Amino acid sequence: MGLLYLGTPLVWEEAKKYADHVRNHGIAQFLHIWDRLKDRQGDELLWGDEVEYMVISFDDKEKNAKLSLRQTEILAKLAAIVDDIGADCPDNVSVPKFHPEYGRFMLESTPGSPYTGSIPDLLSVESNMRYRRTLARRHLNPNEIPVTFTSFPRLGVPGQFTEPYFNPFDAVSSHSLFLPEEITNPHARFPTLTANIRRRRGSKVAINLPIYIDEKTPRPFIDPTIPWDRDIYQEDSEAKLGAALPDHIYLDAMGFGMGCSCLQLTFQACNVGDARRMYDGLIPIGPILLALTAASPIWRGYLADVDCRWNVIAGSVDDRTEEERGLKPLKENKFVIPKSRYDSVDLYISDDWINRPEYNDNPLPYDEAIYDRLRNHGLDDLLSKHISHLFIRDPLVIFSETIDQDDSSTYFFVTQNIQSTNWQTLRFKPPPPNSPIGWRVEFRSMEVQMTDFENAAFAVFVVLLSRAILAFHLNFYIPISKVDENMGRAQLRDASVSNKFYFRKDIYTNTSATSSTTSSSGASSPVDGMPKKKEKKMRNCFPPRPQPENGFTHRVPVEEEYEEMTMNEIINGKGVDFPGLLPLINAYLDTLDIEPRDMAKIQRYLDLVRRRSDGRLVTPATWIRNFVTSHPDYKKDSVVSQIINYDLLMAVDEIERGTVFNSQDVVQVNIPAESGDMGILSNHVPSIEALRPGVVEIIESS
Ligand code: ADP
Ligand code: MG
Ligand code: MG
Ligand code: MG
Ligand code: MG
Ligand code: MG
């Protein structure tokens, strides 16, 4: 979440009067940054991850795993010790940072300083993540643990799912039927955001996830745990008036989405042009990695027929009015807006000539006055559209103390309002003024994985892919509407193995534009043009893409440039024409000077991605599902009971803790691989089958 500022937040009726004021200054501030930093060049690769945790509080007597609401105390403690642990920190790890998040049960951690492009830094990601987790764990109560679990399975069930207990009657910000006020970080920003989304929208948010229909799931499924007749807040009747659909799991508050954990990565680019290229290159990768990291199949105590958090978060902050959602003719509002302010990217923004206008085929409402102002200032069409599209949203949280701003600060634009409440699959991050930081791109679609081995593997995969995109001038463009179709498919149950995804067939197209070829034969090797001498570290600035000959036209219609591929094909390749993302990464690794031992470690991470993509390893979502359906307390009725949840989180913790570093930095699990002896897992894992297909097998085999 954005930086936190202390002050007096305005309620929506007040805040909305300042919306244009904020937008005006936001643009002035953006232009101030632009003028000073548009020509900034030569920034090295710096990059970093963000890992989000939930703090679980175990009650071994009641066999309940609850969310601990001690975020404020925990963060205060971590801040105090972080100041004083320099000496205690492993050599290759910087003193970590911990940040608050929306949920009062959540923590976020980042490396204390960003990684560079060096190989030792690449190899330090896992130990960095582990160290952060260990530090957090060490400063929790004895019955508490940090877990990297994407969605808490029993958030919002009747009874006690937080420690301590609070009654949802008191949900004065969200008016939720399920989540108490105390689920939310108490800092004014968060309750205000929650309440202002509801007020602006004119109703509570409403998310309906299809329930997973099992043998004994009642049909139609009318959720008996919804307090249908509650009468405390005016919105209480929404559920029975149609907001809650039969055969679905109904969620009615921001906390269900913003209470999810994810894994994000930020990369600094050489210059603004490269940032735009990297942003575009990673757009089609967003849904692919969402499907591969899928980790959230349980919601409000039920198994869902989806595996991912994305649509839940999108719905959970959807502040669009009925007019904006196209349900009523426009009167009060200016735009019909197809998506929530949290959703997939709508526009490719690179000014590279391979970015054909046809790829930007999504409807794109944008603020024309702002667009004109940017154009008149000298910005190009695409960047002007990107910014003026972000600016169709109203600022939601305005502090009365900060209404008057100096336009040389970035308070409104970058921090407070527009940028930080437009949450998309990719974020284009302009440099803050007066700082050494350059143009950055953030990759935001992935679900957090249960172990740091897996989180590190995906971080390594994406940073290497970002290098391959830039170094080999890869072309991943497909129409952005197809990327959105992939986003939908990525979230379906078992998507990674059961679905196909649109992907570009000829990813070298245009690298050899001068020969006007658009077939893969035109670029026999991605390493053509790369320096022959192997490089010591991942670099950031690459020679520019070759320009086309005069008169070059794209010869293939856009519809012929892509096809549907399986996950295995996308990651591992398909015949001679399509190399696959992993072979591209390996071609890039070939350009680096890497010790065999280090290469072996990198390959272990890549192997995880490979085996997950070809189905030899299941996603965390499938593993969680299997755990539930094979648990003795599961009654084939889609219900994830208190005891199943308890055993699940215990198992997750044991798996995570069971992984240890030995002297070779090899991750191992403390369970005999072949014996069938469940060892420490025996109390909580119903069967070895429930355990084996998931994370453990990966770790054992390495
Ligand atoms: P946000 O929540 O706004 O996305 P965070 O501060 O939580 O941002 O995380 C930013 C990430 O970017 C961290 O992993 C950090 O290490 C990394 N980072 C910091 N400086 C740079 C930089 N100059 N270039 C790239 N990444 C950076
Ligand atoms: Mg976060
Ligand atoms: Mg943040
Ligand atoms: Mg963050
Ligand atoms: Mg989050
Ligand atoms: Mg982030």
Side-chain angles (χ1 to χ4, degrees), residues 134-159:
T134 305
L135 209 57
R137 180 191 289 276
R138 224 190 276 156
H139 294 89
L140 300 179
N141 288 340
N143 67 329
E144 289 175 335
I145 56 160
V147 291
T148 40
F149 212 68
T150 297
S151 70
F152 183 70
R154 286 177 55 83
L155 181 68
V157 299

Side-chain angles (χ1 to χ4, degrees), residues 255-404:
F256 284 107
M258 283 297 178
C260 292
S261 294
C262 66
L263 169 66
Q264 297 175 335
L265 302 170
T266 297
F267 307 106
Q268 178 166 278
C270 180
N271 54 42
V272 66
D274 273 7
R276 294 167 71 168
R277 260 187 288 284
M278 196 200 309
Y279 179 93
D280 280 13
L282 289 173
I283 287 173
I285 304 302
I288 303 305
L289 285 187
L290 177 60
L292 262 188
T293 57
S296 45
I298 310 172
W299 299 88
R300 210 160 54 64
Y302 296 110
L303 280 174
D305 216 27
V306 293
D307 277 353
C308 297
R309 77 195 190 290
W310 192 266
N311 281 352
V312 176
I313 317 191
S316 80
V317 290
D318 188 354
D319 68 334
R320 292 171 303 158
T321 64
E322 291 191 324
E323 293 179 19
E324 288 169 335
R325 279 176 281 147
L327 303 172
K328 275 186 185 166
L330 285 178
K331 226 171 80 200
E332 299 282 306
N333 297 122
K334 282 212 284 210
F335 309 99
V336 174
I337 306 179
K339 291 182 188 171
S340 166
R341 58 199 300 150
Y342 192 117
D343 216 316
S344 47
V345 162
D346 275 319
L347 189 75
Y348 292 112
I349 58 173
S350 173
D351 50 5
D352 197 330
W353 61 275
I354 63 165
N355 180 11
R356 299 171 71 167
E358 297 96 307
Y359 300 138
N360 277 325
D361 63 342
N362 266 356
L364 190 86
Y366 60 90
D367 187 309
E368 285 182 26
I370 289 176
Y371 175 84
D372 290 343
R373 187 167 159 202
L374 295 169
R375 290 309 304 265
N376 291 336
H377 198 88
L379 271 83
D380 59 281
D381 172 58
L382 286 175
L383 200 54
S384 303
K385 278 198 179 128
H386 170 78
I387 302 287
S388 55
H389 176 55
L390 296 183
F391 274 71
I392 60 175
R393 311 289 173 174
D394 279 339
L396 289 170
V397 184
I398 297 179
F399 292 103
S400 56
E401 293 85 347
T402 60
I403 287 169
D404 293 311

Side-chain angles (χ1 to χ4, degrees), residues 10 14 24 43 65 187 242 332 343 468 550 605 626 666-667 674 693:
L10 301 180
E14 282 303 306
N24 270 326
D43 284 309
H187 184 284
E332 299 282 306
D343 216 316
N550 279 345
Y605 296 128
N626 292 345
V666 172
V667 185
E674 306 305 333

Side-chain angles (χ1 to χ4, degrees), residues 50 264 429 442 444:
E50 296 164 70
Q264 297 175 335
K429 292 176 163 176
E442 184 183 13
R444 304 166 46 85

Side-chain angles (χ1 to χ4, degrees), residues 119 508 615 692:
I119 303 305
Y508 305 130
R692 287 197 60 82

Side-chain angles (χ1 to χ4, degrees), residues 341-538:
R341 58 199 300 150
Y342 192 117
D343 216 316
S344 47
V345 162
D346 275 319
L347 189 75
Y348 292 112
I349 58 173
S350 173
D351 50 5
D352 197 330
W353 61 275
I354 63 165
N355 180 11
R356 299 171 71 167
E358 297 96 307
Y359 300 138
N360 277 325
D361 63 342
N362 266 356
L364 190 86
Y366 60 90
D367 187 309
E368 285 182 26
I370 289 176
Y371 175 84
D372 290 343
R373 187 167 159 202
L374 295 169
R375 290 309 304 265
N376 291 336
H377 198 88
L379 271 83
D380 59 281
D381 172 58
L382 286 175
L383 200 54
S384 303
K385 278 198 179 128
H386 170 78
I387 302 287
S388 55
H389 176 55
L390 296 183
F391 274 71
I392 60 175
R393 311 289 173 174
D394 279 339
L396 289 170
V397 184
I398 297 179
F399 292 103
S400 56
E401 293 85 347
T402 60
I403 287 169
D404 293 311
Q405 284 291 312
D406 168 3
D407 290 340
S408 63
S409 95
T410 54
Y411 191 72
F412 281 121
F413 178 69
V414 177
T415 303
Q416 189 186 8
N417 265 308
I418 307 295
Q419 173 91 322
S420 77
T421 55
N422 264 281
W423 298 277
Q424 299 174 343
T425 35
L426 273 295
R427 182 178 281 169
F428 179 65
K429 292 176 163 176
N434 313 320
S435 91
I437 298 175
W439 295 89
R440 290 150 305 151
V441 172
E442 184 183 13
F443 186 77
R444 304 166 46 85
S445 68
M446 291 189 285
E447 307 228 315
V448 77
Q449 308 293 287
M450 290 180 265
T451 66
D452 290 324
F453 175 74
E454 295 162 282
N455 288 317
F458 282 98
V460 166
F461 178 85
V462 180
V463 71
L464 290 172
L465 184 62
S466 75
R467 297 308 91 189
I469 289 171
L470 294 171
F472 303 149
H473 303 299
L474 298 178
N475 180 347
F476 288 165
Y477 283 111
I478 59 174
I480 207 155
S481 64
K482 294 293 173 208
V483 178
D484 279 356
E485 271 192 66
N486 285 348
M487 280 301 285
R489 293 178 182 194
Q491 299 175 60
L492 301 176
R493 178 161 51 85
D494 285 338
S496 175
V497 287
S498 325
N499 267 307
K500 289 193 168 188
F501 301 91
Y502 294 102
F503 212 82
R504 188 177 178 94
K505 291 189 276 192
D506 183 357
I507 57 180
Y508 305 130
T509 307
N510 307 319
T511 51
S512 53
T514 47
S515 68
S516 76
T517 177
T518 49
S519 83
S520 55
S521 56
S524 48
S525 156
V527 264
D528 285 353
M530 286 297 290
K532 298 286 173 283
K533 191 163 175 300
K534 295 199 176 201
E535 302 193 335
K536 288 270 178 235
K537 57 193 276 194
M538 298 188 280

